[in-house]
Amino acid sequence: MRILLVYPIFPKTFWSYEKILELVDRKVLLPPLGLVTVAAILPQEWEFKLVDRNIRPATEAEWAWADIVIFSAMIVQKQDLLEQIQEAKQRGKLVAVGGPYPTSVPHEVENVGADFLILDEGEITLPMFVEAIQRGETSGTFRTAEKPDVTSTPVPRFDLLELNAYDMMSVQFSRGCPFQCEFCDIIVLYGRKPRTKTPAQLLAELDYLYELGWRRGVFMVDDNFIGNKRNVKLLLKELKVWMAEHQYPFRFDTEASIDLAQDPEMMELMVESGFAAVFLGIETPDEDSLQMTKKFQNTRSSLSEAVQTIIKAGLRPMAGFIIGFDGEKTGAGDRIVRFAEQAAIPSTTFAMLQALPNTALWHRLKKEGRLRENQDGNINQTTLMNFIPTRPLEDIGREYIEAFCTLYDPVKYLDRTYRCFLMMGAPSWQAPFKMPEWIIVKALLTVIWRQGIKRETRWKFWHHLFSIIKRNPGVAEHYLSACAHNEHFLEYRQIVRDQIESQLAEYLAQGAEKPYIPVKAQTEEKTKAVVS
């Protein structure tokens, strides 16, 4: 059986980093971990080829070679996925589809011709698919409410990837998150009980990447790396030894909840194991909005102090922010900007709230009749909200544009990055010195030319760089890498402004909806009217 694995195109997003990738001659930030895991679960006597369309399209020879084409996608990849399913069907291929987007809205991929829907988690549903193929079936839907034990998940087939095209590799230690944020689809897809691999499994994956010659960054793609703190610490204690024995070949980034700041042992182990950055879902500094969306873990202590504790431990924070929560007061965008400045968070993913399919938020808004027709919640920074908010959408959109552009003003970004790295703890270990590749030297020279000579940032760039080298030299290399990110944000903030303004104009031309008034507020207004 010949299997062609195809990963659809991502549109330009905060995470696409085109300008940074251009500097180092790479095509894509991260590989399709789901598809290489699928390839490892399927029978190994089958033949596999993988095409990441973010690198290149499939050739006619690859289409002709395949017996079955398997796609996996997130909702942000919807458009290209649907088009590629149709391309495969036009060539007479059997098509199988899985991943977060098909699992959430299976009818959409079925409507364009997908033959097999391999939904939920593949450790359980892929064997069902294999059995159907072996029986000679040509269609079917495979679902399960059961959450698999990921200690049985095999080492992904990293060998199928065009490794030189990627800036980082991906591995996964756990699935699921213990919290109950209303807008989050992770707990819908993977549950609230974090399931982890064994340390030996994760180290075997790193061994394989090492054998394949990988020597760059690795993203631990867990949606909350510290969801099962006991098991994570067991992993980190073994990973710390592995990294030292292999002379620190990788740098790790990951995602975690803000309560990481309350666990000094965890942070110390992470830094000693080679972790450099952590994405934090902060969402908003407005406590009322955090309560409304049930993100209670962010209300238990000072968010700003928590972020700075994480920085001082030696981890660069990347923060997620959202605007548009129910009951949100005017000026939310400004408050987010002030918070990022106060906490010294260099990069922030900032977007308008989206109601993702089957989340608690989606169900509530559907019940209230607030979902906007033909609007997907795709968590992109260039998309209007897909529901009617409690204040004018135009106001939210304007605040969002101005806040996003302010956050990524090149001077403000450099200042925040400088203040962050000035207080950052340096790791106690040091990788052996090796001469940098020419492409890295060339990228550094380009950043120096643009930010240190050509642009208005020139004085800040040199002042901050020399100050970091003098006052905190252990983080200087990491600091320069963070400065390079400014290249992407400088262009992307204009993309955000142009696309959101265009959508707002279209929205207003169609006749903007009135803001939603919660039932309680409606009752209060009626009571006031009767009394008066």
Side-chain angles (χ1 to χ4, degrees), residues 321-325 328 332-333 350-353 391 396 399-400:
F321 289 108
I322 295 173
I323 190 171
F325 289 107
E328 185 179 75
F350 185 25
M352 283 185 268
L353 182 62
R391 62 188 182 111
I396 296 172
E399 279 189 28
Y400 169 67

Side-chain angles (χ1 to χ4, degrees), residues 41-178:
I41 295 171
L42 291 172
Q44 293 306 287
E45 61 270 21
W46 290 8
E47 297 177 65
F48 301 95
K49 290 184 179 181
L50 188 147
V51 172
D52 183 343
R53 282 180 44 78
N54 298 281
I55 299 172
R56 64 173 182 85
T59 65
E60 286 302 326
E62 287 168 328
W63 284 117
W65 170 87
D67 296 316
I68 301 175
V69 183
I70 296 180
F71 298 94
S72 177
M74 292 182 275
I75 195 168
V76 73
Q77 297 166 283
K78 170 183 174 176
Q79 182 177 344
D80 193 53
L81 170 67
L82 299 181
E83 291 173 1
Q84 289 302 301
I85 291 172
Q86 293 170 318
E87 288 279 341
K89 293 310 298 178
Q90 287 170 8
R91 291 170 170 81
K93 301 300 176 182
L94 284 175
V95 172
V97 184
Y101 165 55
T103 293
S104 296
V105 281
H107 64 278
E108 293 190 3
V109 293
E110 195 169 24
N111 289 344
V112 295
D115 302 295
F116 296 99
L117 305 186
I118 310 170
L119 310 178
D120 304 304
E121 295 185 59
E123 286 85 354
I124 295 175
T125 54
L126 280 166
M128 298 178 188
F129 164 70
V130 172
E131 289 174 7
I133 292 295
Q134 291 171 342
R135 290 193 299 267
E137 296 176 12
T138 57
S139 64
T141 298
F142 313 102
R143 298 218 70 154
T144 179
E146 183 182 349
K147 302 299 180 189
D149 178 356
V150 294
T151 59
S152 65
T153 305
V155 174
R157 289 286 305 273
F158 295 116
D159 57 297
L160 296 172
L161 299 169
E162 298 177 37
L163 291 174
N164 288 337
Y166 296 100
D167 191 58
M168 299 185 79
M169 278 293 107
S170 301
V171 296
Q172 183 184 57
F173 181 61
S174 69
R175 290 183 205 158
C177 177

Side-chain angles (χ1 to χ4, degrees), residues 151-372:
T151 59
S152 65
T153 305
V155 174
R157 289 286 305 273
F158 295 116
D159 57 297
L160 296 172
L161 299 169
E162 298 177 37
L163 291 174
N164 288 337
Y166 296 100
D167 191 58
M168 299 185 79
M169 278 293 107
S170 301
V171 296
Q172 183 184 57
F173 181 61
S174 69
R175 290 183 205 158
C177 177
F179 300 116
Q180 55 182 326
C181 309
E182 186 188 39
F183 58 85
C184 183
D185 63 345
I186 296 305
I187 54 179
V188 177
L189 293 167
Y190 305 117
R192 289 186 58 199
K193 182 179 179 181
R195 292 159 287 134
T196 71
K197 296 176 181 177
T198 65
Q201 273 180 286
L202 199 284
L203 295 183
E205 295 182 18
L206 298 181
D207 280 330
Y208 191 29
L209 285 173
Y210 189 86
E211 289 167 14
L212 290 171
W214 188 259
R215 295 294 185 276
R216 295 200 295 274
V218 176
F219 201 112
M220 202 80 71
V221 300
D222 304 33
D223 293 291
N224 186 357
F225 180 61
I226 65 168
N228 185 324
K229 292 186 178 182
R230 173 189 172 276
N231 286 6
V232 169
K233 287 179 181 179
L234 292 175
L235 166 68
L236 291 173
K237 288 171 183 176
E238 295 194 31
L239 178 58
K240 174 183 172 181
V241 174
W242 187 96
M243 286 286 283
E245 289 176 347
H246 290 77
Q247 298 189 314
Y248 302 94
F250 309 138
R251 182 211 72 207
F252 297 102
D253 295 346
T254 194
E255 303 179 39
S257 45
I258 195 70
D259 55 324
L260 171 64
Q262 299 166 14
D263 196 329
E265 181 191 15
M266 181 78 78
M267 291 186 289
E268 182 179 355
L269 283 169
M270 288 175 68
V271 173
E272 289 177 349
S273 299
F275 282 78
V278 59
F279 179 86
L280 305 167
I282 292 174
E283 322 313 353
T284 175
D286 295 345
E287 189 163 323
D288 288 346
S289 292
L290 292 171
Q291 294 282 354
M292 165 65 74
T293 199
K294 299 183 179 178
K295 201 170 183 85
F296 303 120
Q297 67 272 24
N298 283 23
T299 66
R300 294 169 186 158
S301 59
S302 165
L303 285 174
S304 180
E305 290 178 9
V307 172
Q308 293 190 2
T309 297
I310 290 168
I311 294 171
K312 290 172 183 176
L315 296 165
R316 172 172 60 88
M318 300 174 282
F321 289 108
I322 295 173
I323 190 171
F325 289 107
D326 278 4
E328 185 179 75
K329 294 179 176 61
T330 300
D334 289 341
R335 291 192 294 277
I336 286 171
V337 171
R338 285 199 301 273
F339 179 86
E341 290 289 339
Q342 178 188 2
I345 303 170
S347 53
T348 69
T349 63
F350 185 25
M352 283 185 268
L353 182 62
Q354 305 291 330
L356 299 179
N358 300 315
T359 57
L361 175 63
W362 184 86
H363 284 293
R364 176 169 69 80
L365 296 175
K366 184 179 181 182
K367 184 178 178 181
E368 294 171 353
R370 297 170 60 189
L371 295 176
R372 297 172 61 209

Side-chain angles (χ1 to χ4, degrees), residues 406-463:
T406 301
L407 281 169
Y408 287 110
D409 172 87
V411 173
K412 289 183 182 297
Y413 176 82
L414 271 186
D415 279 344
R416 276 200 316 278
T417 303
Y418 169 65
R419 286 186 282 110
C420 172
F421 279 85
L422 205 57
M423 75 173 95
M424 183 180 291
S428 57
W429 54 268
Q430 189 170 5
F433 175 79
K434 61 179 181 180
M435 288 297 294
E437 301 173 52
W438 165 243
I439 192 67
I440 301 299
V441 175
K442 184 180 175 184
L444 176 60
L445 292 174
T446 302
V447 170
I448 289 173
W449 164 250
R450 291 176 182 173
Q451 298 184 26
I453 298 172
K454 183 180 178 181
R455 296 193 193 128
E456 63 175 340
T457 53
R458 62 182 71 87
W459 303 116
K460 295 274 187 179
F461 179 84
W462 292 112
H463 170 272

